[in-house]
Amino acid sequence: MRNLDLDEITEKISDYSSDIIYSDRNHLEIKIDQFFNFLHQQPISRRTLERIGEDFKEVEIKLQESKSSFNNHKIKKEVLELLKTRELQGAFGYFEIKNMFEKSPKYNSSYIELSNKWYKVEGNYNESQEFFNTYFFKPFIELIEWYFRESKIKNEIDYFSREEISLFNHNFELLKNQIERLEFGQEIIFNETDEIKDLINGLNKKNWIELIKGKFNDLVLESIISIETAELLIKTITGEKISLK
């Protein structure tokens, strides 16, 4: 499968997660395994999972302690007391599903058994599956969607959220006014910047900046604009002073 952009991968995750939430337990293991393979294959979702690991390290460390501690009950209690927000619950859900995903062999109810492990569900499989969806899977999906919607770039290999893209779209409106004041080359510059705008949904910050520098370097080499004008236009787009020299 080709690399999906932000809109495409959001739609795909929505479809996959709905299918998993309403899945019969006999098919749950296969569907979750396929879903995790998909997340790891796509650059945007793979980097998002890495960011969850970086941002919620405390939760992951506590979970590791719960596996190795002799006083397992005490650590489990500490883990559950740590989950004071829906985001922390989502990270917890991700780490536990990930740990189960990496185990082999598994069986049909492996993921559902996480409910019994942590919440001591005493009921039928339907109740256990409901607990799994409520305390593991749904918060995990919500956390991914939050990164897609409003997270902030922390590293040049991070991808832009919709909120950040919206700010850049505002910058592109300012850019139009600057381009219109140029004496010539307006159409060429508009075409190049339109492509830059279109590709922000699918590139991480590093690759997007490299694309911008490449486009404007070409315009400078073709004597369409000066290097000073190019750097001014780049700053309008990115909000950063980027040198082409």
Side-chain angles (χ1 to χ4, degrees), residues 21 141 166-167 173 180 214 223:
I21 288 168
I141 297 301
S166 178
L167 291 174
E173 290 302 314
E180 288 170 354
S223 299

Side-chain angles (χ1 to χ4, degrees), residues 21-33:
I21 288 168
Y22 297 106
S23 172
D24 181 280
R25 71 175 182 273
N26 293 322
H27 310 297
L28 195 63
E29 179 211 335
I30 292 174
K31 289 185 176 182
I32 292 180
D33 282 359

Side-chain angles (χ1 to χ4, degrees), residues 117-130:
K117 172 185 173 183
W118 286 96
Y119 294 97
K120 297 182 179 178
V121 180
E122 296 180 2
N124 57 30
Y125 275 110
N126 288 334
E127 186 176 359
S128 295
Q129 188 168 353
E130 182 180 344

Side-chain angles (χ1 to χ4, degrees), residues 3 10 18 27 39 51 59 63 67 69-70 76 103 116 121 128 145 148 152 154 165 204-205 210 214:
N3 293 343
T10 300
S18 268
H27 310 297
L39 293 178
R51 291 188 68 179
V59 177
L63 288 173
K67 293 177 183 177
S69 174
F70 289 108
K76 279 187 174 181
K103 284 186 178 180
N116 301 325
V121 180
S128 295
E145 291 173 342
F148 290 175
K152 300 292 187 292
K154 292 184 177 179
I165 291 171
N204 62 26
K205 180 178 180 180
E210 288 302 316

Side-chain angles (χ1 to χ4, degrees), residues 44-213:
I44 292 177
S45 52
R46 182 171 64 244
R47 177 56 192 154
T48 301
L49 297 182
E50 291 172 356
R51 291 188 68 179
I52 292 173
E54 294 164 3
D55 294 343
F56 295 91
K57 201 68 181 175
E58 182 182 1
V59 177
E60 187 174 24
I61 290 171
K62 272 293 182 185
L63 288 173
Q64 292 298 328
E65 287 180 14
S66 74
K67 293 177 183 177
S68 58
S69 174
F70 289 108
N71 195 351
N72 185 268
H73 177 73
K74 178 177 178 293
I75 298 295
K76 279 187 174 181
K77 183 180 178 184
E78 289 177 1
V79 170
L80 294 177
E81 288 175 348
L82 183 65
L83 309 180
K84 298 185 184 298
T85 67
R86 189 72 169 174
E87 291 75 26
L88 288 165
Q89 188 79 45
F92 163 77
Y94 162 62
F95 291 129
E96 281 297 270
I97 295 171
K98 171 178 173 284
N99 289 336
M100 188 61 69
F101 167 72
E102 292 171 349
K103 284 186 178 180
S104 184
K106 296 190 287 292
Y107 48 94
N108 289 345
S109 59
S110 292
Y111 290 105
I112 297 175
E113 288 298 324
L114 292 173
S115 304
N116 301 325
K117 172 185 173 183
W118 286 96
Y119 294 97
K120 297 182 179 178
V121 180
E122 296 180 2
N124 57 30
Y125 275 110
N126 288 334
E127 186 176 359
S128 295
Q129 188 168 353
E130 182 180 344
F131 266 70
F132 170 75
N133 285 333
T134 300
Y135 292 105
F136 297 87
F137 191 70
K138 286 183 180 179
F140 164 49
I141 297 301
E142 289 172 9
L143 186 58
I144 290 179
E145 291 173 342
W146 177 84
Y147 276 94
F148 290 175
R149 187 176 60 251
E150 56 186 285
S151 65
K152 300 292 187 292
I153 291 279
K154 292 184 177 179
N155 189 301
E156 64 177 7
I157 62 172
D158 293 342
Y159 291 81
F160 298 103
S161 65
R162 280 196 181 79
E163 186 174 289
E164 290 173 314
I165 291 171
S166 178
L167 291 174
F168 284 121
N169 286 338
H170 173 70
N171 292 348
F172 277 107
E173 290 302 314
L174 299 176
L175 182 70
K176 285 181 181 179
N177 295 330
Q178 290 181 325
I179 295 173
E180 288 170 354
R181 290 199 291 267
L182 297 176
E183 294 183 2
F184 60 92
Q186 292 180 10
E187 184 177 354
I188 296 173
I189 301 170
F190 273 127
N191 290 338
E192 296 295 338
T193 54
D194 279 345
E195 185 176 349
I196 290 169
K197 181 179 178 182
D198 290 341
L199 291 175
I200 192 173
N201 270 11
L203 296 177
N204 62 26
K205 180 178 180 180
K206 178 181 179 181
N207 292 338
W208 193 62
I209 294 295
E210 288 302 316
L211 171 73
I212 292 172
K213 289 169 67 176

